Amino acid sequence: MNAVYKLIPLKAEELMVFFAALKDEESDIFGLNVTIPYKQKVVEYMDFLQPFAQEVKAVNTVVVSPNRTLTGVNTDGPGFLAHLAELKVDTKNKKIALLGAGGAARAIIASLCLIPERPYSIRVYNHHKEKTDALIKDLKERMDVSFVSSVATREELNLASADLLINATPLGLNNEDPLPIDENLIHRNLLVYDVIYNPQETRLLRAAQKKGAKTANGLGMLFCQGTLSFHHWMGFELSDKIKIKMWKSLIDDCSSKKDF
Ligand code: NAP
């Protein structure tokens, strides 16, 4: 395939011109991913939104059609669910504690609200509670969030009875970051899922392993959302052979680069 995947850093004020140029027949871009901090902002530049992107109101994948219309897709939520499925984690009736209320948290909460394997509860803690409140209020307009609650303190996450703890904050990207949760609250019946993928083993995951808890990092979610994006751009699923190659190269890349 004669194509490249490369970084296009843009300032907020450049987005409108960039997306207008994307519709130009001369443009050779047929798809792209969008990352922090523009996943919600770019919704307004899309001609169409795929149903989940519409529900979550965030786009991480843009598909450019041959007639240059733009469809916004969100593969973060489905990527997270696909990784949970790989890990053989069933979310039905599970008690989930989630840290953070940004883009990753938005996609994860929305996807958990829309699947039949409904969790029993999702308790969300963010250091600015009003951000969690606003997120839940917004999602409530389009889906049932009756089992999602915003808590004011980490203690109210009730980790002692939780099955799954998800860190969706950037705390852990740097080794010197404080732990996002008191490690004494972690127990061996918990699966601790850190959406961070570089470093592959955050302080939180190390602390969880010490407590005998199961752990997972965000590489699987990153990989799954990437293969799903590819599916949307190309219209076909990657073969297992290519997926294995991609997975190996992703691991190598994350292991060799400090700033991925
Ligand atoms: P985001 O939209 O900026 O949200 C970050 C969240 O973390 C916000 O709720 C923010 O709260 C909170 N936060 C930021 N700094 C904090 C701190 N020092 N202490 C406590 N909370 C803090 O970012 P995002 O897109 O959700 O990404 C979050 C993390 O997920 C990043 O590390 C990113 O790399 C990772 N991620 C991974 C994948 C994957 O595929 N594995 C996909 C997406 C994101 P306030 O806004 O209230 O400050």
Side-chain angles (χ1 to χ4, degrees), residues 13-43:
E13 59 271 23
E14 293 169 335
L15 288 178
M16 202 165 79
V17 172
F18 174 81
F19 279 98
L22 205 54
K23 303 184 77 130
D24 195 317
E25 278 177 9
E26 300 297 302
S27 169
D28 53 6
I29 298 176
F30 65 88
L32 56 121
N33 285 126
V34 180
T35 190
I36 300 177
Y38 299 134
K39 290 181 187 177
Q40 284 178 265
K41 174 76 184 152
V42 300
V43 166

Side-chain angles (χ1 to χ4, degrees), residues 174-195:
N174 300 306
N175 261 328
E176 52 283 3
D177 284 347
L179 280 170
I181 195 92
D182 178 356
E183 59 192 303
N184 294 318
L185 298 173
I186 300 172
H187 54 85
R188 55 183 303 116
N189 296 327
L190 202 58
L191 166 63
V192 180
Y193 191 109
D194 201 330
V195 297

Side-chain angles (χ1 to χ4, degrees), residues 48-59 72 74 142-143:
F48 306 102
L49 286 176
Q50 165 248 25
F52 181 66
Q54 178 95 45
E55 307 256 34
V56 75
K57 267 209 206 144
V59 162
N74 187 304
R142 298 177 299 285
M143 61 192 79

Side-chain angles (χ1 to χ4, degrees), residues 36 39 100-104 126-128 131 168-171 173 195-197 218 221-222:
I36 300 177
K39 290 181 187 177
N126 188 52
H127 61 168
H128 300 123
K131 188 159 174 171
T169 76
L171 276 181
L173 280 178
V195 297
I196 292 174
Y197 45 82
M221 175 178 171
L222 181 72

Side-chain angles (χ1 to χ4, degrees), residues 15-180:
L15 288 178
M16 202 165 79
V17 172
F18 174 81
F19 279 98
L22 205 54
K23 303 184 77 130
D24 195 317
E25 278 177 9
E26 300 297 302
S27 169
D28 53 6
I29 298 176
F30 65 88
L32 56 121
N33 285 126
V34 180
T35 190
I36 300 177
Y38 299 134
K39 290 181 187 177
Q40 284 178 265
K41 174 76 184 152
V42 300
V43 166
E44 64 185 275
Y45 303 120
M46 300 298 113
D47 298 304
F48 306 102
L49 286 176
Q50 165 248 25
F52 181 66
Q54 178 95 45
E55 307 256 34
V56 75
K57 267 209 206 144
V59 162
N60 76 325
T61 304
V62 179
V63 179
V64 186
S65 71
N67 63 350
R68 310 302 301 174
T69 57
L70 310 181
T71 300
V73 180
N74 187 304
T75 66
D76 279 333
F80 170 74
L81 293 179
H83 188 211
L84 282 191
E86 291 269 326
L87 297 170
K88 309 226 177 318
V89 174
D90 183 5
T91 52
K92 194 172 166 69
N93 290 329
K94 295 285 163 40
K95 292 180 179 166
I96 299 178
L98 192 143
L99 303 165
R106 171 177 280 268
I108 290 171
I109 296 170
S111 56
L112 289 169
C113 285
L114 292 167
I115 51 171
E117 298 81 14
R118 258 169 156 237
Y120 176 82
S121 62
I122 305 176
R123 288 173 168 257
V124 187
Y125 170 79
N126 188 52
H127 61 168
H128 300 123
K129 186 177 182 297
E130 63 280 8
K131 188 159 174 171
T132 319
D133 297 343
L135 169 59
I136 296 175
K137 187 167 175 244
D138 177 52
L139 293 179
K140 193 177 177 184
E141 288 178 18
R142 298 177 299 285
M143 61 192 79
D144 177 10
V145 292
S146 53
F147 57 100
V148 187
S149 54
S150 166
V151 300
T153 64
R154 292 179 178 89
E155 289 66 35
E156 288 171 82
L157 287 169
N158 289 351
L159 271 190
S161 63
D163 304 289
L164 174 61
L165 167 67
I166 304 167
N167 176 39
T169 76
L171 276 181
L173 280 178
N174 300 306
N175 261 328
E176 52 283 3
D177 284 347
L179 280 170

